[in-house]
Amino acid sequence: MKIYKIPENLRAFIFDIDSTLYSNSAYAFEQVDCQVRQFAKERGITADEARRMVADYRKKFAEEHNGSKVSLGNTLLAFGVPIEQSVQWRRELLEPADFLYKDEQLIQTLKNLKSKYKLICVTNNPVLPARKTLEALGVSEFFSEIVGLDTCFKSKPAVEPFQTALNLLNEKAENCVAVGDRYDMDIALPLEMGMGGILVSGVEEVYQILETVI
């Protein structure tokens, strides 16, 4: 866990979902690869060719942007796949319950957080598979709102998803902390907006968050 900033008057947590509220390398891979395979199918190329295209684009992007990462949605957008199409693929292809299961420790962690703070999720997946993910983990009840790819049709680290979360929370940036597993996607922009930021390597570090902010 790396703590960049904890607001003095902390009132709300903005959580990423994937590889933050769960640690499952097989599902993390499949979320990307199922879309890459679909892209390959529609382009009439092999899955390996599509994987190389994505990997090469991401490598070049990082080289040209001081090592920053680019989301899959924005990568596919560069190949002519509209965000709306990415949304549809994810709605159709992602089945988190095939990979994830109820997490009692996460449930207790979020229950404790919810008793003190407002909680919301901001994800680069559409709301439907995001909600399915929370349901599979057993934590859906703690998040009345999800800001997904189909909320703003903008992929993190765009400002719109985070601003929408602030609007839904009815909170100022300086009273919120963003939690996620990717600095470039989940933490850097919220810090610029005035929020706090906590970078985690997976759900095991989310379990420790309440101890961190007390």
Side-chain angles (χ1 to χ4, degrees), residues 11-198:
R11 294 176 56 84
F13 280 79
I14 299 176
F15 278 99
D16 173 53
I17 296 178
D18 298 296
S19 296
T20 296
L21 295 183
Y22 66 85
S23 300
N24 187 303
S25 57
Y27 185 47
F29 174 81
E30 177 62 14
Q31 281 193 72
V32 173
D33 204 58
C34 70
Q35 296 174 73
V36 174
R37 296 194 304 269
Q38 186 65 29
F39 170 69
K41 181 179 178 181
E42 301 208 1
R43 278 288 181 95
I45 59 178
T46 68
D48 282 341
E49 287 173 322
R51 292 182 186 114
R52 281 194 295 271
M53 287 175 66
V54 169
D56 289 348
Y57 179 85
R58 286 178 150 176
K59 180 180 178 182
K60 183 179 180 182
F61 183 94
E63 290 171 350
E64 295 175 350
H65 295 83
N66 298 315
S68 295
K69 297 178 181 179
V70 60
S71 70
L72 180 62
N74 284 335
T75 299
L76 293 174
L77 184 62
F79 295 144
V81 179
I83 292 293
E84 291 81 1
Q85 183 62 71
S86 292
V87 166
Q88 192 58 34
W89 286 352
R90 295 174 198 223
R91 285 172 176 163
E92 295 172 355
L93 299 172
L94 298 182
E95 290 297 340
D98 291 344
F99 296 86
L100 305 177
Y101 52 88
K102 194 173 183 180
D103 184 338
E104 295 293 349
Q105 193 167 353
L106 180 63
I107 292 169
Q108 190 59 52
T109 297
L110 294 177
K111 182 179 180 180
N112 291 340
L113 282 176
K114 184 73 172 179
S115 69
K116 298 175 180 289
Y117 307 102
K118 299 177 184 178
L119 307 181
I120 196 170
C121 287
V122 176
T123 174
N124 275 348
N125 270 325
V127 171
L128 177 60
R131 182 59 71 185
K132 287 182 178 180
T133 298
L134 298 180
E135 289 171 352
L137 296 169
V139 298
S140 184
E141 67 182 283
F142 303 117
F143 298 97
S144 59
E145 300 281 359
I146 299 172
V147 178
L149 187 59
D150 48 349
T151 304
C152 306
F153 289 93
K154 293 281 187 177
S155 186
K156 290 186 293 185
V159 69
E160 289 88 345
F162 291 108
Q163 186 58 55
T164 299
L166 293 177
N167 294 343
L168 290 169
L169 290 166
N170 193 28
E171 292 291 348
K172 296 178 180 179
E174 56 264 34
N175 295 330
C176 301
V177 62
V179 182
D181 67 300
R182 297 176 298 176
Y183 178 81
D184 297 326
M185 305 292 172
D186 305 317
I187 308 299
L189 183 62
L191 289 174
E192 289 179 17
M193 295 172 69
M195 300 185 209
I198 301 175

